[in-house]
Amino acid sequence: MILLTNLKLLQADVVSFFDAAGLLYKYSTDAIKEDNYADAAKYYTTAMINFALAVELALKYILLKNEKVFNNERNIAELYELLPNNDKELIKKVLKSFISSQEDQFIDESIRKLNKTFLNWTYFHEYPRDIDVNFFLIFSTVICQIVINDQF
């Protein structure tokens, strides 16, 4: 019963952070259209932080549902690597329908680059952002939608 309650709460958190990120991302694109770059940067950075939190929680949801053990890890790439292989294959299959590269190597490398996404966006002045933002947005959407729709 405790696990089910924790999963439901975790799923609700994924929904909250993912929805907030989507709104903030929309605000950033609207601000750019109005040449309001200060607000665009503020909303964009906050959206990326919320997407990173949503992905982290979504991965932890999948791990808990699969009764996998993990530490208090914030590293998206490391959490992803802990997933069962069949879950990773499903995620890759869905990702391939949204990205131009169909190569597993491209997907694996792009996910490895997400290793410190939360820190990269939270402390953007201290960390380089060597990530493909488009891939990150697609990855975030795929992972979060799987959890929101509870496909596992």
Side-chain angles (χ1 to χ4, degrees):
M1 184 64 172
I2 291 173
L3 179 62
L4 182 59
T5 301
N6 288 342
L7 284 174
K8 287 183 179 188
L9 291 172
L10 201 50
Q11 186 180 39
D13 286 344
V14 170
V15 171
S16 297
F17 283 112
F18 184 74
D19 286 352
L23 285 172
L24 289 162
Y25 187 77
K26 182 189 179 319
Y27 295 159
S28 74
T29 57
D30 290 348
I32 289 170
K33 290 174 189 172
E34 298 170 6
D35 294 330
N36 183 349
Y37 299 107
D39 279 353
K42 173 177 62 178
Y43 293 135
Y44 184 80
T45 301
T46 309
M48 294 301 122
I49 292 167
N50 277 275
F51 278 126
L53 282 170
V55 170
E56 174 191 336
L57 295 175
L59 290 168
K60 288 178 177 179
Y61 174 95
I62 296 166
L63 289 167
L64 281 173
K65 190 141 189 192
N66 284 288
E67 299 179 1
K68 293 284 189 174
V69 177
F70 59 91
N71 295 328
N72 292 332
E73 184 61 57
R74 300 194 78 89
N75 185 317
I76 290 172
E78 289 181 16
L79 288 168
Y80 176 82
E81 281 305 312
L82 294 173
L83 294 177
N85 287 334
N86 60 330
D87 291 342
K88 288 191 277 191
E89 290 306 314
L90 172 65
I91 291 165
K92 282 182 184 180
K93 181 180 175 185
V94 176
L95 282 171
K96 286 178 182 180
S97 66
F98 291 103
I99 60 175
S100 58
S101 177
Q102 299 293 309
E103 299 296 322
D104 282 353
Q105 183 178 352
F106 171 81
I107 293 171
D108 292 340
E109 181 60 28
S110 297
I111 291 170
R112 272 192 291 283
K113 289 180 179 180
L114 299 178
N115 65 341
K116 294 184 179 172
T117 304
F118 179 79
L119 290 174
N120 288 347
W121 288 105
T122 304
Y123 304 102
F124 64 92
H125 56 285
E126 296 177 18
Y127 290 91
R129 280 177 299 289
D130 183 28
I131 65 169
D132 179 338
V133 174
N134 289 328
F135 178 85
F136 174 59
L137 293 173
I138 294 166
F139 182 80
S140 300
T141 301
V142 168
I143 296 292
C144 291
Q145 287 301 321
I146 286 170
V147 170
I148 290 167
N149 295 313
D150 193 21
Q151 295 296 311
F152 285 98

